[in-house]
Amino acid sequence: MKKIRILKPVLVSNQQRARENRGVFDRMNSLVINIIASPGAGKTSFIKYLVNVMKKTCKILVVEGDIKGQIDSKSISRLGVDVIQINTATECHLDAFMTAQVLPKIKKNYDLILVENIGNLVCPAEFEIGEDFKLAILSTPEGDDKPLKYPLLFHLAKVIVINKRDLLPYVDFRPDEAIKNIQKENPKAVIFEVSAKTGEGFEEVFRYIHKELNARKKKSKR
Ligand SMILES: Nc1nc2c(ncn2[C@@H]2O[C@H](COP(=O)(O)OP(=O)(O)OP(=O)(O)O)[C@@H](O)[C@H]2O)c(=O)[nH]1
Ligand SMILES: [Mg+2]
């Protein structure tokens, strides 16, 4: 019970800080996507696939969250985009205060800021960071029941990507069942099915993100 009383004010002040971050991102006119998934679901692979294609048409910053080390940020920066690392040490999620520490390091305006959250299906969903939307990744080896077992993330994510489609012949994952389970938690979710290994399904993801980028540009002109 005591834990609940502590958590509430933490979340309230986090939300306040997230609103302030949102204001800063709005002034920069950046679309910010908070990418959340379990460890190894393919967050970095998904980001790298996006970056490789989209860096030709838009300015991208990746904010890389990890408990320790810079393995992912090093491999992303080899693609020639800017990366800022956050190491959380003991925390299993990024929160708005950690994200605020990144803001002074952002020296130019980016069209798109991709944030790779800590690999975890639970805590990252609870903490807003000032994002435009959450993008959840569910990979086929994890099983099609995960949206029902970890509902908050799948409820809150505007976009849900089913990754590792190329592994479907080898795993017990029923795409129709997964989509049904996602829609039980979140009937409005925008769902993509991709493979970050083969590139299957990415055309639709690119189209969607371009649409979101254009919507953001129009919003800033008003
Ligand atoms: N077959 C297959 N493998 C994939 C796919 N996407 C990612 N992988 C592999 O899955 C492993 C984990 O991918 P990452 O992109 O590092 O996953 P992550 O979610 O960033 O992992 P953490 O940052 O450690 O939480 C790597 O060996 C990738 O090559 C895919 O679509 N198909
Ligand atoms: Mg990663």
Side-chain angles (χ1 to χ4, degrees), residues 34-61:
N34 184 4
I35 299 175
I36 304 176
S38 56
K43 297 177 293 299
T44 306
S45 306
F46 177 81
I47 289 170
K48 285 169 78 176
Y49 209 96
L50 275 189
V51 161
N52 243 332
V53 173
M54 297 194 70
K55 69 181 180 187
K56 294 164 200 154
T57 52
C58 68
K59 285 176 274 168
I60 303 176
L61 170 69

Side-chain angles (χ1 to χ4, degrees), residues 186-202:
N186 184 353
K188 289 188 184 160
V190 177
I191 303 171
F192 297 106
E193 295 178 75
V194 307
S195 164
K197 183 177 172 138
T198 66
E200 181 189 355
F202 267 87

Side-chain angles (χ1 to χ4, degrees), residues 20 34 42 50 69-70 74 91 96-97 105 107-108 113 138 154 175 181:
E20 288 162 23
N34 184 4
L50 275 189
Q70 300 181 22
K74 281 183 184 161
E91 298 295 332
F97 294 95
K105 297 183 189 159
K107 301 292 183 203
K108 56 186 187 199
I113 301 181
L138 168 65
F154 293 93
N181 291 340

Side-chain angles (χ1 to χ4, degrees), residues 4 18 22 38-39 44 54 71 87-88 94 97 101-102 118 124 128 139 155 163 181 193 199 203 208 215:
I4 293 169
R22 179 69 264 151
S38 56
T44 306
M54 297 194 70
I71 293 174
N87 281 133
T88 61
L94 297 179
F97 294 95
Q101 288 175 24
V102 166
I118 309 298
E128 285 180 24
S139 68
H155 177 71
N163 186 35
N181 291 340
E193 295 178 75
E203 278 307 319
Y208 180 83

